Amino acid sequence: MMLTPVHRFRDIERKPEYLQPEKCVPPPSHASLGTMWFIRDGCGIACAVVTWMLVFYADFVVLLVMLVPSRDYVYSVINGTLFNTLAFLALASHFRAMLTDPGAVPKGNATKEFIESLQLKPGQVVYKCPKCCSIKPDRAHHCSVCKRCIRKMDHHCPWVNNCVGENNQKYFVLFTMYIALISLHALIMVGFHFLYCFEEDWTKCSSFSPPTTVILLILLCFEALLFLIFTSVMFGTQVHSICTDETGIERLKNQKPTWERTSGWEGMKLAFGGAFSLGWFNPFSNVNCKSPAPAEVVAAAPASAIMTQEEIEQFLARDVAIQVFHE
């Protein structure tokens, strides 16, 4: 048997400065136990706070500028209830997308014991990440912001301060959908309110002065239009990724699929946690995605000759993929 590097353009982590195994020290085994998933990234935290503030601003304008001063009680109650329900679901989806582990690979699992448990055979390939000292399952990619390898990573979104991966893609899709819906709803209400104010006295159609009312409505209109376009595009690309079983990174890299695709409706059921139901639209329902078993991080191979202890040590000293050939 002999070991040879496998040259694949799968990851960007093959730069010389990252190939320093002596700097890749696994953390203590208890470091991740009992802790909440939260990415401490200044830009991401700021974007998440801005997202919540924009939703609260929209709610403020809708309620206090348009609905409360309205003389039509039924119109105000129906639209106020609908808008606040959608806004609550949007923020709940954002909260779940931000605080849900997107599918992080166990950090520091590139140990001799773990490699031995894989019982690698000829033709099998495993990848060691030089940044987080982990053995990467197929379709996992390293995120430089989360500092972890993420299973089925689509992209890192600063607006939710998290990666979008196999465990939280549902919540991200719901977040973009609900934001698009409240943006469309706000635009429609702004249009009706402008028509109402043009026909009536501006001093009677709002609790604020006419100049203040106009400024608040224009800002809301601009915000709603911008986020309607943005979130609609994101919603469409995410649904397309789910239905084609191809993540954004895989599509950008034009990566040929080496996995069995779960496309169309089956892909939607897998991403949303089961058959179609109201639970699909519920950000509080969990998605049960199984973590890959040790045997699933490598491809199938003939049942002959596993790696020796010496070859395992050679693998651990490397930072690139290793394939085992039978001589």
Side-chain angles (χ1 to χ4, degrees):
M1 299 177 64
M2 67 176 180
L3 298 175
T4 59
V6 176
H7 301 288
R8 287 188 181 181
F9 295 100
R10 170 181 163 178
D11 297 299
I12 60 172
E13 297 121 15
R14 304 245 183 101
K15 298 178 181 178
E17 56 267 26
Y18 294 124
L19 304 184
Q20 301 177 18
E22 68 277 0
K23 293 186 178 181
C24 191
V25 180
S29 58
H30 58 79
S32 60
L33 297 179
T35 59
M36 180 179 65
W37 179 270
F38 182 74
I39 303 303
R40 294 175 178 83
D41 175 58
C43 176
I45 294 173
C47 289
V49 171
V50 168
T51 300
W52 281 61
M53 291 178 63
L54 289 173
V55 174
F56 287 141
Y57 170 77
D59 194 52
F60 165 79
V61 176
V62 167
L63 289 179
L64 299 183
V65 177
M66 292 189 288
L67 296 183
V68 171
S70 175
R71 299 174 183 175
D72 191 336
Y73 179 76
V74 176
Y75 171 85
S76 298
V77 170
I78 292 176
N79 282 281
T81 302
L82 178 60
F83 185 87
N84 280 278
T85 299
L86 293 175
F88 172 76
L89 291 172
L91 294 180
S93 301
H94 182 274
F95 188 79
R96 291 300 303 273
M98 179 170 59
L99 299 182
T100 298
D101 181 347
V105 177
K107 195 172 184 180
N109 69 348
T111 62
K112 294 181 181 180
E113 294 77 12
F114 185 76
I115 301 299
E116 289 173 345
S117 70
L118 298 179
Q119 294 188 340
L120 300 178
K121 298 185 176 78
Q124 292 181 318
V125 178
V126 291
Y127 290 83
K128 176 187 174 184
C129 177
K131 294 182 180 179
C132 58
C133 252
S134 63
I135 299 299
K136 301 169 65 174
D138 195 24
R139 306 185 70 183
H141 299 274
H142 187 88
C143 174
S144 58
V145 180
C146 296
K147 295 180 176 59
R148 297 289 291 274
C149 288
I150 308 297
R151 295 190 301 272
K152 290 184 68 174
M153 175 182 169
D154 187 87
H155 68 288
H156 183 92
C157 179
W159 294 105
V160 297
N161 188 35
N162 202 0
C163 277
V164 177
E166 70 174 11
N167 288 350
N168 68 342
Q169 190 170 31
K170 168 190 173 177
Y171 308 125
F172 183 76
V173 171
L174 291 180
F175 167 65
T176 57
M177 181 184 74
Y178 287 128
I179 289 294
L181 288 176
I182 64 173
S183 298
L184 178 61
H185 190 199
L187 282 173
I188 294 174
M189 286 191 291
V190 168
F192 279 116
H193 197 73
F194 267 120
L195 291 176
Y196 170 73
C197 289
F198 282 138
E199 295 176 356
E200 298 289 336
D201 186 356
W202 276 86
T203 58
K204 297 180 180 180
C205 69
S206 175
S207 302
F208 299 88
S209 64
T212 302
T213 301
V214 171
I215 293 174
L216 291 173
L217 290 177
I218 290 177
L219 289 177
L220 176 61
C221 188
F222 177 77
E223 175 195 341
L225 182 61
L226 179 65
F227 280 94
L228 173 63
I229 296 172
F230 177 71
T231 54
S232 296
V233 171
M234 289 302 300
F235 175 79
T237 56
Q238 288 299 301
V239 172
H240 178 266
S241 294
I242 294 173
C243 291
T244 57
D245 195 16
E246 184 181 40
T247 66
I249 291 179
E250 291 162 352
R251 186 165 57 251
L252 286 174
K253 291 185 175 183
N254 197 23
Q255 186 174 335
K256 294 182 179 179
T258 58
W259 59 92
E260 184 179 353
R261 287 194 171 187
T262 306
S263 304
W265 193 246
E266 292 301 318
M268 293 292 291
K269 290 195 291 186
L270 183 63
F272 282 79
F276 179 77
S277 66
L278 290 178
W280 278 27
F281 306 98
N282 180 11
F284 300 102
S285 62
N286 294 321
V287 179
N288 297 318
C289 294
K290 295 191 305 180
S291 299
E296 295 177 1
V297 301
V298 292
S304 60
I306 64 174
M307 292 180 73
T308 65
Q309 182 70 24
E310 180 183 355
E311 290 163 343
I312 291 175
E313 292 176 356
Q314 291 178 14
F315 168 76
L316 291 171
R318 294 170 179 260
D319 292 293
V320 294
I322 301 296
Q323 184 170 11
V324 183
F325 291 99
H326 191 63
E327 263 190 339

